[in-house]
Amino acid sequence: MRRTSRWGGIVVATALLLGSGIAPGVAQDKLAVIKQRQDFMKAQGGDVKAVTAFVKGQGDQAAAEKAAEDLVSRSLQIPDLFVAGTSSADFPGKTYAKPAIWQNMDKVKAISTTLHDEEVKLAAAIKGGDRTAAGAALGTAGRDGCGACHGEFREKMP
């Protein structure tokens, strides 16, 4: 009996030591995931700016084509950026992703697919030089893609 208690104490002590060493590493990894997600979204924003400039007649078609291709290539990756444990509840002030994302991942995936489909139309319109069609696709992508997720699943930033 005494021998079992000693081993139980050793197991508990080892677990505590390992746990205290692992937890900061896990937090660092999750902060890295949050940073990666934020960098990804900033890149999306930069591409949208290039497309918007083209739609307004102020930007270069080649730059807008490249930006639209980037948007199309990334849009279906969005749901994968939301790793469990990286919400605003987990890291207040570091991210504005609402915990509701993880309870509604099917909806997030559907929105991502809608975004992708509109960005394909956007890329085709830009390639054809059709600013009006590009503007319509950009508007729909913004409303039914970016805006749909940000409206429901992103806290307001300070």
Side-chain angles (χ1 to χ4, degrees):
M1 200 70 167
R2 184 172 171 94
R3 189 174 177 155
T4 303
S5 294
R6 191 175 336 165
W7 280 108
I10 291 171
V11 169
V12 169
T14 302
L16 288 173
L17 286 172
L18 287 174
S20 66
I22 292 171
V26 170
Q28 288 295 350
D29 290 345
K30 289 185 177 182
L31 284 171
V33 167
I34 291 168
K35 176 148 180 24
Q36 177 185 12
R37 182 169 64 223
Q38 291 169 341
D39 290 346
F40 181 99
M41 295 298 177
K42 286 177 187 172
Q44 294 283 91
D47 287 334
V48 168
K49 284 182 183 180
V51 169
T52 300
F54 169 76
V55 167
K56 291 180 175 181
Q58 302 165 349
D60 179 58
Q61 183 175 354
E65 283 181 33
K66 171 71 170 96
E69 288 171 14
D70 290 347
L71 290 169
V72 169
S73 73
R74 289 192 302 252
S75 53
L76 295 177
Q77 299 172 33
I78 292 171
D80 297 334
L81 298 171
F82 293 92
V83 174
T86 62
S87 75
S88 58
D90 301 306
F91 292 93
K94 300 284 184 192
T95 180
Y96 300 97
K98 291 180 179 178
I101 290 170
W102 290 270
Q103 284 83 45
N104 295 286
M105 193 51 72
D106 287 342
K107 186 172 185 178
V108 172
K109 289 177 182 176
I111 292 169
S112 176
T113 299
T114 298
L115 176 63
H116 178 77
D117 294 346
E118 289 305 315
E119 289 172 346
V120 167
K121 293 176 192 175
L122 173 65
I126 293 170
K127 189 170 188 149
D130 188 342
R131 292 181 201 279
T132 302
L138 181 63
T140 303
R143 181 187 65 241
D144 298 343
C146 305
C149 259
H150 286 199
E152 186 170 350
F153 300 118
R154 181 180 179 199
E155 293 180 7
K156 295 203 184 300
M157 295 173 67

